[in-house]
């Protein structure tokens, strides 16, 4: 049984948490998101897949405004995504983000990395933040590394610390942008195992990944993107056994036959 300090409220998948409506995004002349419409429900795991350059990471980063959008709206828990300032900072505190490159603070210990935001942003006492951080580090399997610097850890351990750091803020939503793509093959599973556990506990997640095994195992829904569009949306079973579009069939034939 997980400690109470780290429990994630079990929720019925159903109520909308994120609503993305008619979103467009340009990088100069390049139209990277084309009229995106998606609703992500509480407790749902949505996996976004597709070829490189299809707009997956841009979509993920737009959800907490690390990328601005040119038109359309994004609401989280009924609130429109703020433009900037304190409101945006408050919203980002509710949305955890895990990057492909870990983004840990190199000169802080693992424990300090995980306690920093709760003490600074949530004004949690140092004692409470430490207790919660240690429970989270235990949960992702790296509690014994708490006093080390990130550079002393393997890539898989660093990414698990990054996940613990995101969970320390008790987010409503966790965004994971290719969280295993910088890892050696033997480290990928240790991170995917943590992600599967989170999905089992009812954490709402949007995961951009090339790991089809994770998509099959943990996703409630797969979004397939190509050239800035959501081309197909289906359950993992439907998508992997009976893709509807030629673009999805072509993509799957290339990755599943290697």
């Amino acid at each position: 049984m997980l400690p109470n300090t780290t429990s994630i409220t079990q929720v019925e998948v159903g109520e909308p948490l994120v609503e993305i409506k008619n979103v467009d995004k340009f990088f100069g002349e390049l139209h990277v998101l084309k009229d995106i419409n998606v609703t992500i429900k509480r407790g749902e795991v949505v996996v976004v897949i597709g070829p490189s350059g299809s707009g997956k990471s841009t979509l993920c980063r737009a959800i907490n405004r690390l990328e601005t959008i040119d038109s359309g709206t994004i609401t989280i828990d009924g609130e429109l995504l703020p433009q900037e300032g304190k409101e945006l900072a408050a919203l980002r505190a509710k949305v955890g983000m895990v990057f492909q490159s870990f983004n840990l603070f190199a000169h802080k210990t693992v424990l300090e990395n995980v306690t920093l935001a709760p003490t600074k942003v949530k004004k949690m006492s140092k004692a409470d933040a430490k207790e919660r951080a240690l429970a989270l580090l235990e949960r992702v399997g790296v509690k014994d590394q708490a006093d080390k610097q990130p550079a002393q850890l393997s890539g898989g351990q660093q990414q698990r610390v990054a996940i613990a750091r995101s969970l320390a803020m008790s987010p409503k939503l966790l965004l994971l942008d290719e969280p295993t793509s910088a890892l050696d093959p033997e480290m990928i599973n240790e991170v995917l195992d943590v992600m599967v556990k989170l999905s089992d506990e009812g954490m709402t997640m949007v995961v951009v990944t090339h790991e089809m095994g994770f998509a099959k195992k943990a996703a409630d829904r797969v979004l397939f993107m190509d050239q800035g569009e959501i081309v197909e949306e289906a359950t993992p079973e439907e998508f992997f056994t009976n893709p509807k579009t030629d673009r999805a069939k072509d993509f799957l034939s290339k990755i599943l036959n290697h």
Side-chain angles (χ1 to χ4, degrees), residues 16-27:
L17 180 64
V18 181
E19 294 187 88
I20 301 167
K21 293 181 179 172
N22 309 117
V23 163
D24 283 271
K25 163 78 178 171
F26 291 85
F27 288 132

Side-chain angles (χ1 to χ4, degrees), residues 4 43 64 73 94 136:
N4 289 335
N64 72 346
T73 59
K94 299 174 189 172
L136 286 165

Side-chain angles (χ1 to χ4, degrees), residues 29 48 100 128 135 161 170:
E29 295 292 303
V48 187
Q100 122 182 28
D128 287 349
V161 172
S170 304

Side-chain angles (χ1 to χ4, degrees), residues 24 40 74 102 106-107 141 172 188 191 219 248 251 254:
D24 283 271
I40 296 153
I74 299 175
F102 324 136
H107 301 297
K172 295 179 178 184
I188 289 172
V191 173
F251 174 78
K254 285 175 181 164

Side-chain angles (χ1 to χ4, degrees), residues 31-195:
H31 198 173
V32 288
L33 294 177
K34 301 174 183 173
D35 194 29
I36 300 291
N37 289 277
V38 182
T39 297
I40 296 153
K41 298 168 184 171
R42 292 179 193 280
E44 187 177 32
V45 178
V46 175
V47 171
V48 187
I49 63 175
S52 295
S54 57
K56 308 182 299 293
S57 289
T58 304
L59 175 61
C60 188
R61 292 166 66 87
I63 294 173
N64 72 346
R65 213 168 188 281
L66 284 174
E67 294 285 1
T68 56
I69 57 176
D70 292 307
S71 61
T73 59
I74 299 175
T75 56
I76 297 179
D77 217 4
E79 294 176 44
L80 265 179
L81 206 52
Q83 295 297 302
E84 55 195 22
K86 284 183 180 175
E87 291 85 0
L88 182 59
L91 179 117
R92 283 195 181 141
K94 299 174 189 172
V95 180
M97 182 97 194
V98 177
F99 301 89
Q100 122 182 28
S101 54
F102 324 136
N103 287 18
L104 298 173
F105 296 109
H107 301 297
K108 292 187 179 294
T109 66
V110 163
L111 185 62
E112 288 167 343
N113 265 279
V114 181
T115 57
L116 186 67
T119 52
K120 296 285 188 205
V121 180
K122 286 199 157 184
K123 308 301 180 193
M124 193 183 280
S125 75
K126 284 188 175 175
D128 287 349
K130 181 179 178 180
E131 182 186 2
R132 178 167 172 74
L134 288 172
L136 286 165
L137 289 169
E138 182 172 22
R139 176 175 169 186
V140 299
V142 289
K143 186 182 177 184
D144 56 339
Q145 311 293 327
D147 296 324
K148 291 186 179 175
Q149 304 277 347
Q152 296 174 277
L153 275 56
S154 71
Q157 289 170 326
Q158 288 187 60
Q159 192 60 293
R160 286 184 281 155
V161 172
I163 291 172
R165 181 179 61 177
S166 289
L167 295 175
M169 292 295 284
S170 304
K172 295 179 178 184
L173 170 68
L174 198 55
L175 305 172
L176 299 104
D177 186 11
E178 304 210 15
T180 59
S181 63
L183 300 177
D184 292 334
E186 70 269 20
M187 293 174 193
I188 289 172
N189 282 339
E190 63 191 55
V191 173
L192 293 178
D193 287 346
V194 170
M195 291 161 57

